[in-house]
Amino acid sequence: MAIPDFIRAVRATAGHQLLFLPGVSAVVFDDEGRVLLGRRADNGRWTLITGIPDPGEQPALAAVREVYEETAVECVVERVVLVEALPEPVTYPNGDQCQYMDTTFRCRAVGGEARVNDDESLDVGWFPLDALPPLRDSDLFRIKQALADEPTWFATTA
């Protein structure tokens, strides 16, 4: 996965120790109600489009940027779906450890054709909700919340 320059600078002194970072996730729907997914290059899993905001970047703009950078799909943010500290740290193949405070957004595609647009994905595509590839429970929950007509979900327990 591409490491942002500001994190590379921190890692130069912090090594692989656990960093607590902001993250964004995008649940992007097209006009047919399909959801946009990417198959990650680092672990081969299908997932929602995710990323890390740059310093000073607004989270919603980071989600839009990440979707375009990874999939070539242009989207607009419709609303915040959930905000939560992810329960488990992630250890990347290089040994770096991170834990994320994730803000998930419901987004609507407005242009572009889904394709692999960087080296972070092996594949990208649109999936009908009744024909999703295997996904983590957390991605399925985000999709469910993005479809629900409910206020933003916040974790209320550890």
Side-chain angles (χ1 to χ4, degrees), residues 2 36-39 49 64-74 112-125:
L36 181 64
L37 301 173
R39 192 160 67 89
I49 308 306
V64 169
R65 175 183 54 77
E66 289 288 346
V67 169
Y68 184 77
E69 284 179 359
E70 295 181 22
T71 71
V73 170
E74 298 168 5
E113 295 293 325
R115 64 177 169 83
V116 173
N117 203 35
D118 65 11
D119 61 354
E120 294 185 42
S121 300
L122 299 173
D123 197 5
V124 299

Side-chain angles (χ1 to χ4, degrees), residues 23-67:
V24 294
S25 298
V27 183
V28 184
F29 295 106
D30 68 4
D31 290 338
E32 297 175 37
R34 300 176 300 174
V35 66
L36 181 64
L37 301 173
R39 192 160 67 89
R40 294 174 60 106
D42 63 347
N43 62 23
R45 292 182 185 160
W46 284 99
T47 185
L48 296 171
I49 308 306
T50 64
I52 300 170
D54 291 329
E57 184 178 29
Q58 296 299 326
L61 296 177
V64 169
R65 175 183 54 77
E66 289 288 346
V67 169

Side-chain angles (χ1 to χ4, degrees), residues 91-115:
T91 300
Y92 291 97
N94 68 357
D96 287 353
Q97 296 178 27
C98 298
Q99 190 164 7
Y100 294 97
M101 174 63 73
D102 181 72
T103 303
T104 299
F105 297 93
R106 178 187 166 115
C107 302
R108 180 175 39 86
V110 294
E113 295 293 325
R115 64 177 169 83

Side-chain angles (χ1 to χ4, degrees), residues 127-141:
F127 291 86
L129 296 173
D130 61 356
L132 296 172
L135 294 173
R136 295 175 304 168
D137 288 343
S138 59
D139 285 334
L140 293 171
F141 181 71

Side-chain angles (χ1 to χ4, degrees), residues 3 11 14-19 90-98:
I3 300 172
R11 288 286 182 206
H16 299 299
Q17 71 179 307
L18 181 65
L19 298 179
V90 176
T91 300
Y92 291 97
N94 68 357
D96 287 353
Q97 296 178 27
C98 298

